[in-house]
Amino acid sequence: QVQLVESGGGLVQPGGSLRLSCSASGFTLDKHAVGWFRHGLGKEREGISCIDSSAGGTYYDDSVKGRFTISRDDAKNTVYLQMNSLKPEDTAVYYCATTAIRCHGTTHLYENWGQGTQVTVSS
């Protein structure tokens, strides 16, 4: 079964950190770019970060630039999102999804969406 599974979410205080994982099963991630998206309550889904396949580039939305770091370990078939200096406005369900080779901003062309992991930033 081809799927992505997100994990690592939870409740954290403002200023805290979390590391999300996006693990693939049924296929290998190495030929895919992988994006992280989030969907907050009452907000539209937004793309926040993406990493190209192989040794390609990384991309960040301005809202997370300097605080979040995306990385990949193709040997583990996993992409990570290290989130530091978390803010209440980062509260959302976080999803990962794949696209072919290079990142782009056309969300509907991403596929293999996972079930999401909840991140709540609150004191």
Side-chain angles (χ1 to χ4, degrees):
Q1 183 179 1
V2 173
Q3 63 176 353
L4 294 174
V5 177
E6 302 93 340
S7 61
L11 173 64
V12 64
Q13 292 186 341
S17 299
L18 285 173
R19 188 177 80 156
L20 305 185
S21 298
C22 171
S23 298
S25 61
F27 72 108
T28 56
L29 281 176
D30 60 340
K31 298 295 192 293
H32 298 267
V34 179
W36 280 99
F37 302 80
R38 65 186 181 187
H39 194 174
L41 191 63
K43 301 179 182 179
E44 293 187 357
R45 182 176 57 186
E46 59 177 341
I48 57 169
S49 186
C50 189
I51 186 166
D52 289 337
S53 65
S54 302
T58 57
Y59 308 91
Y60 301 92
D61 183 78
D62 286 345
S63 63
V64 305
K65 197 174 294 182
R67 300 187 297 123
F68 291 9
T69 303
I70 192 170
S71 62
R72 64 190 302 151
D73 185 340
D74 288 337
K76 295 183 178 180
N77 220 22
T78 300
V79 169
Y80 303 97
L81 186 69
Q82 177 67 44
M83 306 189 298
N84 298 328
S85 302
L86 283 161
K87 305 175 181 180
E89 51 263 45
D90 294 318
T91 295
V93 179
Y94 284 69
Y95 301 88
C96 59
T98 62
T99 192
I101 302 176
R102 299 222 179 272
C103 298
H104 56 79
T106 308
T107 302
H108 74 267
L109 294 181
Y110 285 76
E111 56 186 5
N112 299 318
W113 293 82
Q115 84 290 348
T117 185
Q118 176 71 47
V119 171
T120 302
V121 185
S122 175
S123 55

